[in-house]
């Protein structure tokens, strides 16, 4: 081969190629050692162990980056939870709500902090729902009619109980009970009573001009000495009274309320009867508008 026939450009290309190969593979069979201390892996071109004469490629092992860490206060300082640690003592690990502290939450493999979930906020759990205790509703008003009264007249002309007297009393009696959260008494159980009416007649026929003569419970006396008859009860008297008015008068009097309305009674009113009677006028000169009334609670 004649040297004067060699193309200088071809020589330059060969030299350049040799320089590139020398930079890519400085030492054959001697793998480079990473200087950053990480655990890099040395593999061959096909992913197998390096063989003599094969080029080597250095593939760094990726280092996981923790997504979050438990907040750990430094020794001798106040942490985010307000607790202060003593210098020289082990740093306390915060406890997450719903879990417990462990060494695994602060150290993982290779001395790196382990990956943990972000701490849950305090009071994360919902407060219990307080259900208010319902208040029992009061009984409702009922409707109905009473059995009625005979409208008797005494031997000396005193007028007795009318059906209107009885119905007026029954309506107001139950209205008062319901307004005070007491169960009403069935209208059929609010009844005229002839025995109490007999005693009211006895009082109205006293010949004295004093309306209060003979007035009162069993044991009172008439001005003419006639012995008492009939049955006792809660009493009410006066001018322009109706059945409804005397029902209110009895409620307004503590003693009569206890006797006739029985506010503390908790049983059924199905077997409760309220007896009632009223007279109009008296001798010798009491007008019809002057009334005497009696009522009592019985079992029927």
């Amino acid at each position: 081969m004649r040297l004067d026939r060699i193309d200088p450009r071809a020589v330059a290309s060969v030299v350049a190629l040799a320089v590139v190969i020398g930079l890519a593979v400085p030492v054959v069979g001697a793998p480079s050692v990473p200087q950053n201390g990480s655990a890099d892996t040395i593999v061959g071109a096909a992913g197998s162990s390096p063989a003599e004469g094969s080029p080597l490629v250095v593939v760094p092992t990726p280092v996981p980056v923790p997504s979050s860490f438990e907040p750990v206060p430094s020794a001798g300082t106040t942490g985010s939870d307000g607790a202060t640690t003593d210098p020289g003592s082990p740093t306390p690990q915060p406890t997450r709500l719903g879990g417990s502290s462990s060494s695994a939450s602060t150290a993982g493999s290779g001395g790196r902090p382990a990956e943990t979930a972000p701490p849950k906020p305090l009071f994360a759990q919902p407060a219990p729902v307080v259900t208010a205790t319902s208040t029992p509703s009061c009984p409702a008003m009922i409707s109905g009619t009473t059995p009625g009264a005979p409208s008797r007249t005494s031997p000396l002309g005193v007028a007795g109980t009318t059906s209107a007297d009885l119905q007026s009393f029954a309506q107001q009696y139950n209205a008062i009970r319901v307004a005070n959260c007491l169960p009403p008494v069935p209208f059929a159980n609010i009844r005229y009573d002839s025995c109490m009416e007999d005693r009211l007649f006895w009082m109205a026929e006293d010949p004295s001009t004093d309306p209060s003569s003979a007035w009162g419970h069993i044991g009172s006396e008439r001005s003419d000495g006639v012995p008492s008859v009939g049955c006792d009860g809660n009493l009410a008297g006066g001018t322009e009274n109706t059945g409804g008015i005397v029902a209110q008068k009895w409620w307004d009097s503590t003693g009569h309320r206890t006797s006739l309305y029985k506010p503390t009674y908790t049983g059924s009113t199905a077997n409760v009867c309220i007896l009632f009677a009223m007279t109009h006028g008296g001798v010798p000169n009491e007008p019809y508008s002057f009334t005497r009334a009696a009522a009592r609670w019985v079992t029927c």
Side-chain angles (χ1 to χ4, degrees), residues 85-186:
T85 60
D86 294 330
S89 62
T91 303
Q93 304 303 318
T95 301
R96 289 177 288 138
L97 189 65
S100 60
S101 298
S102 66
S103 59
S105 65
T106 59
S109 61
R112 295 190 304 274
E115 295 185 23
T116 59
K120 296 181 181 179
L122 295 178
F123 309 110
Q125 297 181 357
V129 177
V130 179
T131 304
T133 304
S134 58
T135 303
S137 58
C138 292
M141 184 59 179
I142 60 174
S143 60
T145 57
T146 60
S151 299
R152 288 198 305 165
T153 301
S154 75
L156 297 181
V158 178
T161 312
T162 67
S163 293
D165 294 334
L166 183 61
Q167 184 68 27
S168 172
F169 166 75
Q171 191 72 32
Q172 184 64 12
Y173 179 85
N174 272 337
I176 291 172
R177 289 187 63 85
V178 170
N180 290 276
C181 214
L182 301 174
V185 174

Side-chain angles (χ1 to χ4, degrees), residues 184-207:
V185 174
F187 279 90
N189 290 5
I190 300 178
R191 304 172 182 176
Y192 157 79
D193 185 69
S194 61
C195 188
M196 287 191 301
E197 188 179 61
D198 286 343
R199 179 164 174 78
L200 297 176
F201 279 151
W202 175 82
M203 296 178 195
E205 290 183 339
D206 188 322

Side-chain angles (χ1 to χ4, degrees), residues 65-91:
V65 179
S67 60
S68 62
F69 297 90
E70 289 277 28
V72 180
S74 302
T77 62
T78 301
S80 60
D81 59 354
T84 302
T85 60
D86 294 330
S89 62
T91 303

Side-chain angles (χ1 to χ4, degrees), residues 224-244:
D224 59 358
V226 175
S228 80
V229 295
C231 301
D232 208 349
N234 296 279
L235 302 175
T239 302
E240 304 295 343
N241 280 343
T242 64

